[in-house]
Amino acid sequence: MEEHQHLPDVNRLSVLLAVILLAYALTPFVNLPERGTSLQLPGLFIVIRLTFPALISVIAAILATTGSTWLFQNHPHFRDRRTRIYWLLPALTAWAVGTTLGTLEVGPEWWAVFALGGLLLVMVLLAEYIVLDDYDLRHAPASIGLTAVSFGLYLILAVAARAGGLRLYEILATLVPTMAVLSLRTLFLRLNGRWCWPWAVGIALFVGQLAAGLHYFPTPPLRYALLLVGPAYAATSLAGSIEEGRPLKNAWLEPLIMLAAVVALAFLIPG
């Protein structure tokens, strides 16, 4: 089979990136009053807040969804039946960057996250475009890169959620669905297009339990995020190995090593 090296149209990629970054750039200059509603449940009082940064995050995710579909349609090997999952990670990246920006005061840190978010979005779009073609020469490194960016993105989102002082139900509403999408996308890449919904839901619930338990400990944001990312990656890797049919005695080795390394890093960083 002939191997390929396709890249997205530069004009389309530039337009898509510029529109999303423009949406982010509006955040410091528009100050709308916060709106919200409350819901009283047995033993639980929920306040749903609607802020302008939250609205921008949703708009950015919608722009990434429609824009990535428009970008991928230019791929020579575009196939409708396989592209439903390829917009998930760009949309999630756009939403996570917007959510993180919404927790920061405008200053050097805000602009650093703005620049890093734009770079992450470009990397995700390029990698997703490459993995559309199973016979692209860069398919394997692009898949590995997507996995790394996915969990790096989750780390940033978890740090922002912890540092933002969100209530537990807000943290769970942010981190649990996000983990379901990331694990689903990672397993889809690793297993050559197989959907693993049960694993994705199970891993997301497992991480949600960890997030709930850690919420009540005085854990610094970065340590908190690492203690979620380590088990999340280990569980996803183990699920992939099991689905590939590897013997259980070998399947746990890589996840255990990565889990130990990330947890050790979490406790080595200054508290």
Side-chain angles (χ1 to χ4, degrees), residues 127-198:
E128 288 284 14
Y129 192 90
I130 289 170
V131 298
L132 270 171
D133 183 4
D134 293 335
Y135 297 99
D136 194 295
L137 289 170
R138 302 150 301 174
H139 188 278
S143 298
I144 296 171
L146 278 175
T147 300
V149 169
S150 297
F151 284 94
L153 185 67
Y154 194 76
L155 178 73
I156 295 171
L157 187 60
V159 169
R162 182 68 169 183
L166 301 182
R167 296 181 63 183
L168 178 58
Y169 70 83
E170 293 175 309
I171 290 178
L172 293 180
T174 300
L175 297 183
V176 172
T178 304
M179 177 47 58
V181 172
L182 290 184
S183 57
L184 181 69
R185 184 70 183 100
T186 300
L187 291 172
F188 186 91
L189 277 172
R190 180 166 177 172
L191 302 174
N192 298 318
R194 287 170 52 195
W195 296 90
C196 294
W197 285 101

Side-chain angles (χ1 to χ4, degrees), residues 31-100:
N31 186 18
L32 296 179
E34 179 180 315
R35 297 181 181 274
T37 183
S38 60
L39 179 64
Q40 179 66 61
L41 297 175
L44 181 64
F45 183 69
I46 296 178
V47 178
I48 302 173
R49 298 176 295 175
L50 179 60
T51 63
F52 183 70
L55 180 61
I56 288 296
S57 299
V58 174
I59 291 173
I62 295 172
L63 289 172
T65 299
T66 56
S68 59
T69 302
W70 172 61
L71 181 69
F72 298 156
Q73 283 177 343
N74 198 42
H75 196 289
H77 299 274
F78 179 83
R79 287 168 285 185
D80 288 336
R81 64 181 181 87
R82 296 193 58 198
T83 54
R84 289 174 297 172
I85 198 170
Y86 288 87
W87 55 264
L88 284 177
L89 193 52
L92 186 61
T93 303
W95 173 76
V97 171
T99 300
T100 304

